[in-house]
Amino acid sequence: MKIHKKKQTSANAEINLTAFLDVVFSILAFFILLSAALTLPNRIGIDLPISDRNSNGDSNSGDLQPEDVFVITLDPAGQMLKDGKSIPFQQLTQEITSFLAASTRGVVVLSADDSTVSYQIVISRLSELRAIAGNRVAIATSRS
């Protein structure tokens, strides 16, 4: 009588990695969420504006006076307006230069209250104004 022995080969051996992969991906997700929560906005390099108003809503005594502000308004076509009238760029440059020479605290304010004015136009006009007035240019904002 012959006894047949079954050969055990390693080709039939299988390792189930499903549970292992579940654990690895769970740990990975944990560390991704943890690192996102620990990132502070000041580490990203964003300089957020600081309010100059106290808790009562009263402004500080260092606020600009109306005579220290030169307001330029943008229309939807990208034209710069002074007191509601279109003004040639050369004349605007001369007026801004004389205004800043006369006012030591003077600021040129770019206002685009119309929501149809594109961001590209605002940025373009802002860079033109910065070429004239340097760091004495601001953008007017409104509450929505």
Side-chain angles (χ1 to χ4, degrees):
M1 190 164 183
K2 285 186 174 182
I3 299 176
H4 294 285
K5 291 185 180 180
K6 289 186 179 181
K7 291 185 179 180
Q8 293 181 351
T9 61
S10 62
N12 293 336
E14 291 183 15
I15 298 175
N16 190 357
L17 295 177
T18 305
F20 176 71
L21 289 176
D22 286 344
V23 171
V24 168
F25 283 123
S26 297
I27 293 172
L28 180 65
F30 170 77
F31 282 111
I32 288 173
L33 293 174
L34 182 66
S35 66
L38 293 178
T39 304
L40 299 175
N42 60 358
R43 292 187 183 173
I44 298 173
I46 298 173
D47 294 329
L48 298 175
I50 299 172
S51 174
D52 60 351
R53 301 199 177 263
N54 61 22
S55 60
N56 296 333
D58 299 331
S59 59
N60 294 337
S61 60
D63 284 346
L64 292 173
Q65 301 301 318
E67 60 269 7
D68 294 331
V69 179
F70 188 92
V71 179
I72 299 172
T73 308
L74 283 179
D75 67 357
Q79 295 292 323
M80 290 192 268
L81 310 173
K82 172 68 176 136
D83 298 325
K85 299 175 190 167
S86 180
I87 185 169
F89 188 72
Q90 294 291 41
Q91 183 181 352
L92 182 66
T93 302
Q94 292 173 352
E95 287 188 26
I96 291 173
T97 305
S98 62
F99 167 76
L100 294 177
S103 176
T104 58
R105 294 182 49 186
V107 175
V108 178
V109 176
L110 181 63
S111 174
D113 288 338
D114 192 348
S115 63
T116 61
V117 178
S118 72
Y119 289 117
Q120 184 61 40
I121 292 173
V122 172
I123 291 171
S124 174
R125 298 300 179 255
L126 183 62
S127 70
E128 291 172 2
L129 292 174
R130 291 213 41 170
I132 300 167
N135 64 352
R136 293 170 71 179
V137 177
I139 298 177
T141 59
S142 61
R143 292 184 184 204
S144 51

